[in-house]
């Protein structure tokens, strides 16, 4: 988990509220990703960003939004439009092409979101 | 579209015995393949990867995996299991072109009994 921080670790939300999950990395990685993990379904890609000020929808983007104003930060907002947001959310980053570890992704410790 | 299948939800093995966790994949071109491990309420930790070259890849903690192109498989193996290996294991794939995000399998829970 080193170098990628996610906060908070646990988050509780009432129905109808938007919440923002934080992801910060100090690894000087260019690409960042958000995944959602549900039991028995593995990880599914929500959004990803290859460079600052640019991001693309993943496989399950509906009800989520992101921004990438800084290289180090990639916050995820879970909006009230997300019908079933209770899940474990994982942020990841990967280094630029000149690094040996270019093809790897490095994961943060995750945020567990529960809708009350 | 790319996909990964992990056919076993759980694998049980006795400590000291060899273990295998199965993974098959589907991509349109040549794959990059990965194994990650997850302990409870934690992020994923990288174990090993296949990029090119030798089909047998060695990784962290004594794990290895064999890339089999004809069977589109990338099974994870370890000669002698430890109780501390008990965790959730994910296989992942990405195509060599296109988006850098990974596609993950559904995960296999490995339980090593003492």
């Amino acid at each position: 988990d080193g170098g990628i921080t996610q906060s908070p670790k646990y988050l509780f939300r009432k129905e109808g509220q938007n919440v923002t999950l934080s992801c910060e990395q100090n690894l000087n990685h260019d690409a960042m990703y958000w995944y959602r993990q549900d039991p028995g379904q593995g990880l599914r890609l929500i959004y990803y960003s290859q460079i600052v000020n640019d991001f693309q929808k993943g496989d399950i983007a509906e009800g989520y939004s992101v921004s990438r104003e800084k290289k180090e930060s990639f916050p995820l907002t879970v909006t009230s439009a997300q019908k079933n947001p209770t899940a474990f959310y994982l942020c990841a980053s990967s280094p630029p092409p000149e690094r040996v570890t270019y093809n790897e992704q490095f994961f943060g410790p995750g945020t567990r979101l529960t809708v009350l | 579209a790319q996909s990964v299948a992990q056919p076993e939800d759980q694998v049980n093995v006795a400590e000291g015995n060899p273990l295998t966790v199965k993974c098959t994949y589907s991509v349109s071109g040549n794959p990059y393949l990965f194994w990650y491990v997850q302990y409870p309420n934690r992020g994923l930790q990288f174990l090993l990867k296949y990029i090119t070259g030798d089909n047998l890849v060695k990784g962290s903690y004594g794990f290895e995996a064999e890339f089999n192109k004809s069977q589109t498989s990338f099974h994870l193996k370890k000669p002698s299991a430890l109780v501390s290996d008990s965790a959730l294991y994910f296989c992942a794939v990405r195509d060599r072109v296109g988006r850098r995000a990974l596609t993950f399998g559904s995960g296999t829970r490995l339980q090593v009994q003492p």
Side-chain angles (χ1 to χ4, degrees):
Chain A
D1 301 343
I4 302 177
T5 58
Q6 291 186 242
S7 61
K9 187 171 183 178
Y10 299 96
L11 184 58
F12 298 90
R13 189 195 94 174
K14 294 181 180 179
E15 285 193 28
Q17 285 182 336
N18 294 355
V19 289
T20 297
L21 283 58
S22 169
C23 178
E24 304 276 337
Q25 55 97 1
N26 62 2
L27 301 169
N28 200 28
H29 287 177
D30 55 346
M32 297 186 74
Y33 313 83
W34 275 105
Y35 294 91
R36 170 180 170 141
Q37 184 179 10
D38 296 280
Q41 294 194 49
L43 278 69
R44 292 181 290 167
L45 181 67
I46 305 173
Y47 268 98
Y48 65 103
S49 168
Q50 308 273 47
I51 57 172
V52 175
N53 293 321
D54 187 49
F55 48 83
Q56 286 80 41
K57 293 182 179 179
D59 302 320
I60 56 164
E62 185 175 353
Y64 300 99
S65 66
V66 294
S67 63
R68 187 87 186 275
E69 297 176 359
K70 298 187 300 180
K71 188 176 185 178
E72 302 79 17
S73 178
F74 191 41
L76 173 74
T77 296
V78 185
T79 75
S80 56
Q82 170 48 235
K83 299 304 180 187
N84 185 21
T86 294
F88 191 51
Y89 290 87
L90 288 160
C91 178
S93 66
S94 55
E98 60 267 22
R99 297 207 200 166
V100 173
T101 53
Y102 165 64
N103 288 296
E104 295 173 28
Q105 289 189 12
F106 297 77
F107 284 82
T111 292
R112 187 166 296 281
L113 174 63
T114 302
V115 174
L116 303 173
Chain B
Q2 53 199 34
S3 64
V4 176
Q6 292 182 243
E8 303 153 317
D9 290 337
Q10 181 156 328
V11 170
N12 297 307
V13 64
E15 188 174 29
N17 283 0
L19 69 88
T20 298
V21 182
K22 295 180 180 177
C23 171
T24 58
Y25 66 90
S26 174
V27 293
S28 56
N30 291 315
Y32 294 143
L33 292 156
F34 304 83
W35 276 101
Y36 285 84
V37 60
Q38 185 181 36
Y39 297 96
N41 293 310
R42 300 290 299 274
L44 275 64
Q45 296 178 28
F46 171 80
L47 277 180
L48 50 80
K49 65 183 177 184
Y50 171 80
I51 302 299
T52 188
D54 196 348
N55 289 344
L56 183 64
V57 178
K58 294 188 183 295
S60 307
Y61 313 119
F63 284 93
E64 59 187 30
E66 185 166 13
F67 170 61
N68 188 316
K69 188 173 183 178
S70 63
Q71 297 186 5
T72 61
S73 68
F74 190 56
H75 301 330
L76 181 70
K77 300 182 179 184
K78 188 174 182 181
S80 179
L82 299 172
V83 173
S84 57
D85 292 330
S86 298
L88 188 57
Y89 290 80
F90 289 98
C91 181
V93 67
R94 63 159 283 209
D95 203 332
R96 289 172 187 259
V97 296
R99 74 183 193 188
R100 289 167 62 187
L102 300 179
T103 297
F104 286 85
S106 56
T108 298
R109 186 164 301 282
L110 174 66
Q111 196 69 41
V112 181
Q113 284 113 8

